[in-house]
Amino acid sequence: MQTIQEYVQSNKDRFLEELFALLRFPSVSADPQFKNDIIKTADFVAEKLRSAGADIVEVCPTAGNPIIYGEKIIDPTLPTVLIYGHYDVQPADPLELWDTPPFEPTIREGKIYARGAADDKGQFYMHVKAFEYMTANDALSCNVKFMIEGEEEVGSVNLGTFVKENRERLKNDVIVISDTSMISLEQPSLETGLRGLSYVEVEVTGPNRDLHSGVYGGAVANPATILAKLIASLHDQNNHIAIPGFYDDVVELSQKERVALNQAPFDVQTYKEDLGVAELWGEDGYTTIERTGIRPTLEVNGMWGGYIGEGAKTVLPSSAFAKISMRLVPNQDSHRITELFKNHFEKTAPKYVTVKVTPHHGGEPVVTPTDSIAYKAAEKALEEAFGKKPIPTRGGGSIPIVALFEKELNVKTVLLGFGLDSDNLHSPNEKYGVENYLMGIQTIPAFFKYYAELSK
Ligand code: BES
Ligand code: MN
Ligand code: MN
């Protein structure tokens, strides 16, 4: 029997090649043009689960993209771990900003560059390889189930139905997800929360048609100007969100919890330099760690209207648009927040224009327990692999389906992420460290070992 370290050493090249093959599929869920690639990716993942040792593997059709389900039940009296991940990726554009093509993975300075490298192909695939090791070396100490979906990046619209319809089959004792970040390879950490999301699209309409900006400009309100003002007024001078009632349900952390949270290593200077900004911005009274973890935020994700092509066109646009998202924290409710936003936006719009607010998908915030057996097992596994105890952090991103798993399956999640915040998720030149990938594969079997031990 080989140790996982030996196994990773001797199979390293193959592990990388297989991940590269997975990364070559442009499985973009947002764009129907890639539907065929989505199907091929799902089949590829299913095949890899089979060859890694799963007894049952199924590509389950949904109203949208297929979900891959796999399992290996070694002993019904042992605990069952369900691995969740997603094989879909964000669109790669703007393509011209990539140094190498997004679907031609390449390694530079120890990082794998490709769309989906960290989010989430490189991360869920670590579980497939760790599982391969455990089955091949008779080291599996728990039953394993896999559920790898293809619509996470577009709101997991069909996963809820799948979970509800397959409650029995998906039954498990803990869900493990590697789709979040850690602080660094030198300082492992475990995310213990995810923010919720409320996403809206707004449209501001003025005159009934585009107008000549010389003939009519100055006499009619410009919807783009009004939209800009409305957006600007969504934060007050302290950068608090100015929507009445927005903070009503926000759980404030105790002073002790805040101190603990801010113990995490964080260097403002490095952070600013990495992002190329002279100053940081955010809600008064909170640190950057708090602003991106335990506080809700409101961001404009895109705005447009009028002429945005080459050269100049003197036009007063008939309408202007924006996509706006709000990150939520416990105990905010995404439906209530969307409602508050809609009412506020409609109420504050001046008479010169009409506004329309269209809600998109949302999700609820979650906090995961740190006193559970599963969390302790993850802690021990990371400590064993990295030689340092991981510290708990609060993640800024969202995986809306986690709240639904808790509700439908009545189980908690462990966020065993190995990415870095600086991996350029959703952005050009997405990357994932080779070391992060291999360390992840080495950590996972230890998690299984400790989880089984502590469950006894
Ligand atoms: N893996 C991310 C979420 C994430 C990233 C959590 C980093 C913690 C740290 C996930 O794929 C994602 O991008 N989620 C979306 C929400 C979804 C509804 C599109 C997000 O957070 O914007
Ligand atoms: Mn993800
Ligand atoms: Mn993502």
Side-chain angles (χ1 to χ4, degrees):
M1 188 181 129
Q2 276 181 302
T3 66
I4 180 67
Q5 284 75 14
E6 289 161 357
Y7 195 76
V8 168
Q9 267 318 310
S10 49
N11 291 282
K12 195 165 131 184
D13 293 342
R14 178 172 60 85
F15 287 180
L16 282 167
E17 268 161 42
E18 288 178 18
L19 174 58
F20 274 36
L22 176 59
L23 290 169
R24 283 190 195 103
F25 294 102
S27 49
V28 177
S29 49
D31 186 345
Q33 180 197 325
F34 296 102
K35 185 76 192 186
N36 246 326
D37 300 292
I38 286 273
I39 307 291
K40 283 190 211 152
T41 317
D43 290 340
F44 178 93
V45 174
E47 189 40 49
K48 290 299 176 196
L49 275 176
R50 264 180 219 115
S51 53
D55 294 330
I56 297 177
V57 178
E58 244 180 76
V59 177
C60 311
T62 73
N65 298 337
I67 295 164
I68 302 116
Y69 175 77
E71 65 173 45
K72 186 170 184 75
I73 309 295
I74 49 171
D75 177 351
T77 63
L78 288 174
T80 302
V81 177
L82 181 121
I83 310 293
Y84 162 84
H86 63 94
Y87 66 83
D88 65 319
V89 299
Q90 285 274 322
D93 50 278
L95 287 176
E96 66 278 12
L97 297 184
W98 284 78
D99 295 330
T100 48
F103 299 107
E104 292 173 26
T106 37
I107 297 182
R108 286 195 303 278
E109 290 166 9
K111 313 269 187 210
I112 306 158
Y113 283 83
R115 170 57 85 233
D119 186 11
D120 175 39
K121 288 172 172 172
Q123 293 219 61
F124 86 73
Y125 204 67
M126 301 179 311
H127 288 275
V128 182
K129 293 300 96 179
F131 173 65
E132 172 194 303
Y133 161 78
M134 291 188 284
T135 52
N137 290 276
D138 208 17
L140 200 55
S141 52
C142 304
N143 302 308
V144 195
K145 294 179 177 178
F146 285 90
M147 177 170 61
I148 313 294
E149 71 148 319
E151 296 184 311
E152 196 276 341
E153 299 291 8
V154 288
S156 302
V157 271
N158 294 295
L159 187 61
T161 312
F162 180 81
V163 170
K164 285 181 193 141
E165 284 172 357
N166 291 279
R167 249 192 225 113
E168 258 325 290
R169 184 150 77 145
L170 296 172
K171 239 178 147 166
N172 65 80
D173 298 287
V174 66
I175 297 178
V176 175
I177 305 178
S178 295
D179 192 24
T180 52
S181 314
M182 66 191 320
I183 293 174
S184 68
L185 288 168
E186 291 71 45
Q187 179 55 68
S189 59
L190 279 163
E191 286 193 12
T192 60
L194 291 162
R195 290 195 288 185
L197 190 68
S198 160
Y199 203 117
V200 295
E201 195 160 328
V202 300
E203 179 177 353
V204 174
T205 305
N208 59 10
R209 59 189 187 277
D210 280 3
L211 303 173
H212 188 293
S213 67
V215 177
Y216 289 99
V220 185
N222 185 321
T225 309
I226 302 293
L227 174 61
K229 285 196 182 195
L230 286 172
I231 287 176
S233 71
L234 291 171
H235 289 99
D236 69 13
Q237 69 277 20
N238 299 316
N239 301 329
H240 291 295
I241 294 156
I243 300 170
F246 186 87
Y247 292 97
D248 282 1
D249 300 320
V250 171
V251 174
E252 296 279 346
L253 267 65
S254 70
Q255 207 47 40
K256 207 175 137 207
E257 288 172 306
R258 288 180 67 180
V259 169
L261 194 70
N262 285 294
Q263 294 295 301
F266 178 77
D267 183 56
V268 185
Q269 205 48 40
T270 318
Y271 192 79
K272 288 199 284 195
E273 272 164 26
D274 177 48
L275 300 176
V277 294
E279 273 311 324
L280 296 182
W281 177 97
E283 188 183 2
D284 278 7
Y286 294 92
T287 64
T288 301
I289 288 181
E290 292 171 335
R291 289 168 178 171
T292 56
I294 56 159
R295 297 299 294 169
T297 56
L298 181 151
E299 295 298 331
V300 177
N301 300 110
M303 59 194 293
W304 68 100
Y307 185 68
I308 52 169
E310 284 288 316
K313 178 187 177 191
T314 46
V315 64
L316 192 162
S318 162
S319 42
F321 308 81
K323 290 181 194 278
I324 297 172
S325 63
M326 290 155 278
R327 296 283 167 173
L328 313 178
V329 300
N331 291 325
Q332 287 177 300
D333 173 88
S334 70
H335 299 100
R336 172 153 196 269
I337 293 295
T338 301
E339 214 32 51
L340 287 177
F341 178 94
K342 188 170 153 61
N343 291 340
H344 176 74
F345 204 78
E346 287 170 354
K347 217 175 90 196
T348 48
K351 293 223 166 50
Y352 328 117
V353 294
T354 55
V355 301
K356 196 169 124 197
V357 178
T358 313
H360 279 278
H361 57 75
E364 307 314 323
V366 280
V367 176
T368 61
T370 51
D371 56 358
S372 66
I373 289 172
Y375 185 85
K376 295 210 170 89
E379 231 174 21
K380 283 173 81 113
L382 283 165
E383 185 169 5
E384 182 171 302
F386 290 83
K388 208 167 180 183
K389 199 174 164 180
I391 53 180
T393 62
R394 290 278 287 267
S398 309
I399 308 178
I401 207 69
V402 175
L404 188 129
F405 291 154
E406 276 195 9
K407 187 165 145 242
E408 294 299 330
L409 304 172
N410 193 27
V411 281
K412 300 286 184 193
T413 296
V414 172
L415 299 166
L416 189 57
F418 294 89
L420 302 178
D421 279 344
S422 54
D423 279 340
N424 297 331
L425 312 181
H426 297 198
S427 169
N429 302 311
E430 178 177 348
K431 59 180 190 281
Y432 190 42
V434 173
E435 195 62 19
N436 299 60
Y437 178 59
L438 300 176
M439 284 302 283
I441 300 172
Q442 290 181 39
T443 307
I444 293 161
F447 168 80
F448 276 78
K449 179 184 76 182
Y450 288 125
Y451 185 60
E453 261 177 41
L454 294 170
S455 297
K456 272 184 198 145

